Amino acid sequence: MTTSEPVSLEPTSDKGESCLIVAECFGVEVPTFQGEGPSCGHPALFIRLSRCNLTCEKCDTRYTWDWSQFDPRKESTKRTVAHLVAWTASSPVELVVITGGEPLIQQAQLVPLVQGLIAAGKRVEFETNGTIAPVPELVADGVRFNVSPKLASFGVKETKSIVPAVLEAFVASRRAAFKFVASTMADLDRIAELADAHRLAPVWVMPEGTTLEAITATTRVLADAVAARHWHFTTRLHVLAFADARGR
Ligand code: SF4
């Protein structure tokens, strides 16, 4: 597996406009919902940015970073901020989810995008792995962060995926929810350790799985214990509704 970068993250277009490297945008032409977390079930538009700084074995969006399996020239395009704002403005849906990959890799270019989206009357949720602290310009009214630190059981070294100073920066932002993917009781114990150590709140738990059957089974394993800890629970609505189809 390689994460080498055969395509550079050039931040401007030939005309000097601010650009982002995008994997896919969806929700305008075929409407959909935010599938996870505090806004689960809300109508939403999605901007999925390409590239990630982690290499989780259980990643379900490898087309954003795993160039041993995917061709970055096919899986990513450069879009100007103006193009992305206009695309979202073509829909009445208020919520824009900026996800990845890891979107905050491109946060310098995200500042004008988020400012444009807020000015257009949208609200923004970032889906981030919690390893890169947001710049102050992104910690703004109308912006929320769904921070999803990855546990060792997700197939990643926690020395890379758990960055205490960054988690604490998200806590201090007061604009973050901490959403953990879990499949076992041992995962819940590890989440409790992290939540205690870094004062993470609110904690959301989401069952691991990319099929209806897996999500249902894991929900039944975890639900009582999540409730007993007074945490929040979210499903993965896009998997239940659309069978994890890309672009839904
Ligand atoms: S942080 Fe998220 S996008 Fe990046 S490799 Fe892990 S699961 Fe995939």
Side-chain angles (χ1 to χ4, degrees), residues 193-215:
E193 287 174 1
L194 291 168
D196 287 347
H198 307 295
R199 299 177 182 276
L200 308 181
V203 169
W204 286 74
V205 172
M206 182 172 75
E208 188 187 320
T210 54
T211 64
L212 169 66
E213 294 75 16
I215 289 173

Side-chain angles (χ1 to χ4, degrees), residues 77-206:
T77 54
K78 216 155 118 175
R79 298 279 185 212
T80 66
V81 166
H83 171 95
L84 293 168
V85 172
W87 177 76
T88 66
S90 69
S91 166
V93 171
E94 184 184 324
L95 175 61
V96 180
V97 179
I98 303 177
T99 184
E102 173 44 55
L104 295 184
I105 289 175
Q106 301 186 62
Q107 63 176 324
Q109 296 86 265
L110 282 168
V111 171
L113 175 64
V114 167
Q115 290 171 343
L117 293 173
I118 299 295
K122 304 295 186 186
R123 64 187 176 95
V124 175
E125 277 187 5
F126 281 103
E127 299 286 338
T128 173
N129 63 26
T131 59
I132 300 172
V135 295
E137 295 91 330
L138 290 182
V139 184
D141 286 346
V143 178
R144 304 280 312 169
F145 298 92
N146 296 328
V147 180
S148 188
K150 296 298 181 290
L151 306 182
S153 61
F154 206 64
V156 65
K157 288 196 172 93
E158 289 192 9
T159 49
K160 288 187 174 175
S161 65
I162 304 297
V163 185
V166 173
L167 294 178
E168 286 159 21
F170 278 112
V171 171
S173 80
R174 304 174 70 88
R175 295 187 174 280
F178 296 88
K179 184 184 70 181
F180 290 87
V181 178
S183 54
T184 64
M185 301 300 267
D187 287 342
L188 300 188
D189 290 341
R190 181 61 183 140
I191 293 166
E193 287 174 1
L194 291 168
D196 287 347
H198 307 295
R199 299 177 182 276
L200 308 181
V203 169
W204 286 74
V205 172
M206 182 172 75

